[in-house]
């Protein structure tokens, strides 16, 4: 069964550093998402991406965040200057597109900002 | 915006018992309600979902019911097994046929099934 894959599984960084989280969505999917989950809390929507542009973003997704689909297969989340409160599990997700509502999640990247 | 409340936060049952997890939502425009199972440190996995034009859906030991009038939906697990132990999240969205999907999640229920 096709899966969303994410790398790295764990990322440790110093506060103020830039990080890039990488995702390979399921190959025939057209909509891509980033969600995050702070330890012990609910999963929260960050951003959705379709046709090479952001469809919607949450209040969490401020100017420090950006997304990109650089090469037709990867989908990345960049945090320019990490803060302690950015520490969380970041999940990439994808969905097939029009007519399909199911969202499939990757295994996540655990980001720890020290 | 949509707000999803979920309870209980923890649920302990004996193997073979049934478990019920309940969620309420605030936005009457929400029309899609998935349930995800998340084992420790792993990805949320879709286990069942329901659209607002259906009142109940069943898949083997798992069923979901939806009451649109009351704006609540529930997950029912029968004949629970230890491998059902996990955190279960409900979610809601106003899914448009264009394909875009933004889920609002509940706070999760930690289910523990004891042998």
């Amino acid at each position: 069964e096709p899966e969303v894959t994410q790398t790295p599984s764990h990322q440790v960084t110093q506060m103020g550093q830039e990080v890039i989280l990488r995702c390979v969505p399921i190959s025939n999917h057209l909509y891509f998402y980033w969600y995050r989950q702070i330890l012990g809390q609910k999963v929260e929507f960050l951003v959705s991406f379709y046709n090479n542009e952001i469809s919607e973003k949450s209040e969490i997704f401020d100017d420090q965040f950006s997304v990109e689909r650089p090469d037709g297969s990867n989908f990345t989340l960049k945090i320019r200057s990490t803060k302690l409160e950015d520490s969380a599990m970041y999940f990439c997700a994808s969905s097939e597109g029009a007519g399909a509502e199911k969202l499939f999640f990757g295994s996540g990247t655990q980001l720890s900002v020290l | 915006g949509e707000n999803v409340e979920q309870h209980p936060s923890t649920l302990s049952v004996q193997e073979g018992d049934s478990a019920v997890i309940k969620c309420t939502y605030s936005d009457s425009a929400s029309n899609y309600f998935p349930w995800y199972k998340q084992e420790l440190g792993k990805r949320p996995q879709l286990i069942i979902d329901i659209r607002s034009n259906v009142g109940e859906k069943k898949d083997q030991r798992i069923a979901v019911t939806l009451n649109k009038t009351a704006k609540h939906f529930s997950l029912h697990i029968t004949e629970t097994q230890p491998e059902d132990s996990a955190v279960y999240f409900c979610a809601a969205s106003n899914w448009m046929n264009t394909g875009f999907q933004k889920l609002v999640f509940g706070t999760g229920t930690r289910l523990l099934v004891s042998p």
Side-chain angles (χ1 to χ4, degrees), chain A residues 27-41:
Chain A
S27 61
N28 64 333
H29 285 192
L30 300 177
Y31 290 78
F32 314 116
Y33 311 82
W34 285 99
Y35 284 75
R36 80 171 187 188
Q37 185 179 30
I38 295 171
L39 186 63
Q41 298 185 23

Side-chain angles (χ1 to χ4, degrees), chain A residues 31 33 48 101-103 106, chain B residues 36 43 49 51 98 100-101:
Chain A
Y31 290 78
Y33 311 82
S48 62
E101 69 278 4
K102 298 185 192 303
L103 209 60
Chain B
Y36 285 84
R43 74 185 75 197
D49 56 4
R51 293 194 188 182
T98 53
F100 168 62
Q101 176 68 287

Side-chain angles (χ1 to χ4, degrees), chain B residues 11 27 32 69 86:
Chain B
L11 179 59
D27 188 353
Y32 175 66
T69 303

Side-chain angles (χ1 to χ4, degrees), chain B residues 58-63 76-81 83-84:
Chain B
K58 190 173 182 180
D59 182 4
Q60 299 183 336
R61 296 187 297 109
I62 295 173
H76 305 254
I77 306 174
T78 58
E79 301 171 26
T80 53
Q81 300 166 3
E83 50 266 39
D84 294 330

Side-chain angles (χ1 to χ4, degrees), chain A residues 31-33 35 45 47-50 54-57 95 97-101 103, chain B residues 93-103:
Chain A
Y31 290 78
F32 314 116
Y33 311 82
Y35 284 75
F45 170 79
V47 66
S48 62
F49 190 87
Y50 170 70
I54 290 174
S55 306
E56 186 172 346
K57 58 184 180 180
S95 63
E101 69 278 4
L103 209 60
Chain B
S93 76
N94 179 11
W95 179 74
M96 313 291 272
N97 202 40
T98 53
F100 168 62
Q101 176 68 287
K102 174 187 171 184
L103 295 176

